[in-house]
């Protein structure tokens, strides 16, 4: 089962195995003096263990901003925006490829980043794989052949069991678009 959560004004929809998230959030980024952790998420509580992956196909990304983000997230508590550690996301953006962000210092904000400058004008699968205290991010055009984004990093402050799900942020508090996901999976 899945749960909807939001740190901002959001709405959620589901039709079959397709999910929609509309979330007007400033951003998911805490580096360079920025302190934003605003998103809407559909997730499974306590579904991610020390050997899990969370993946989804991002079917559409509404272009509210070049840095709007839609993808997958893991953290100790997805309901605790701006607080919960063990935090990592990999997301499709409209005009900046795929972004992998993680919270290296455990303060509840993602401030470290790697990216893949790829064509996102088509569906893109994104995946986070956790192995112990490490997390890796990947993208794929077919859901079978994945390329890594950046390198494997430490998932600082991760609990033994975490939440995992899909999220979206518009990167604009006053504007949101519907973002569509499918093929959501959490494996243990």
């Amino acid at each position: 089962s899945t749960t909807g959560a939001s740190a901002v004004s959001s709405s959620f929809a589901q039709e079959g195995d397709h999910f929609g998230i509309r979330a007007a959030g400033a951003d998911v980024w805490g580096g360079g003096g920025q302190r934003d952790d605003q998103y809407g998420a559909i997730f499974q509580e306590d579904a991610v263990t020390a050997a899990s992956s969370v993946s989804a196909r991002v079917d559409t990304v509404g272009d509210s901003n070049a840095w709007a983000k839609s993808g997958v997230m893991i953290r100790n508590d997805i309901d605790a925006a701006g607080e919960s550690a063990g935090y990592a996301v990999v997301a499709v953006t409209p005009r900046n490829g795929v972004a992998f962000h993680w919270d290296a210092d455990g303060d509840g904000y993602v401030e470290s980043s790697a990216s893949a400058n790829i064509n996102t004008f088509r569906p893109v699968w994104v995946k986070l794989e956790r192995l112990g205290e490490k997390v890796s991010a990947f993208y794929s055009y077919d859901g079978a052949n994945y390329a890594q984004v950046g390198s494997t990093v430490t998932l600082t402050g991760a609990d033994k069991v975490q939440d995992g799900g899909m999220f979206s942020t518009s990167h604009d508090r006053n504007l949101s678009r519907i973002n569509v996901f499918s093929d959501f999976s959490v494996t243990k």
Side-chain angles (χ1 to χ4, degrees), residues 31-76:
Q34 189 175 328
R35 299 292 279 181
D36 293 313
D37 198 23
Q38 299 184 336
Y39 55 83
I42 298 171
F43 67 99
Q44 293 181 2
E45 290 184 320
D46 301 333
V48 175
T49 66
S52 290
S53 69
V54 179
S55 61
R57 186 173 101 154
V58 181
D59 297 322
T60 62
V61 177
D63 193 358
S64 55
N65 181 283
W67 278 106
K69 296 169 187 148
S70 292
V72 293
M73 168 186 294
I74 61 174
R75 69 189 307 177
N76 295 347

Side-chain angles (χ1 to χ4, degrees), residues 1-5 14 19 41-45 164-166 184 186:
S1 69
T2 54
T3 302
Q14 179 179 0
F19 299 86
I42 298 171
F43 67 99
Q44 293 181 2
E45 290 184 320
M166 300 165 281
F184 174 63
V186 179

Side-chain angles (χ1 to χ4, degrees), residues 100 102 114-115 135-137 148-154:
F100 172 33
W102 66 96
S115 62
V135 66
S136 305
Q148 189 166 356
V149 182
S151 58
T152 300
V153 301
T154 299

Side-chain angles (χ1 to χ4, degrees), residues 7-23:
V8 293
S9 174
S10 302
S11 56
F12 307 95
Q14 179 179 0
E15 182 174 324
D17 68 348
H18 287 76
F19 299 86
I21 301 175
R22 177 193 293 266

Side-chain angles (χ1 to χ4, degrees), residues 144-170:
N145 299 291
Y146 282 86
Q148 189 166 356
V149 182
S151 58
T152 300
V153 301
T154 299
L155 195 56
T156 305
D159 289 344
K160 288 183 179 180
V161 178
Q162 297 182 289
D163 296 346
M166 300 165 281
F167 82 98
S168 188
T169 183
S170 67

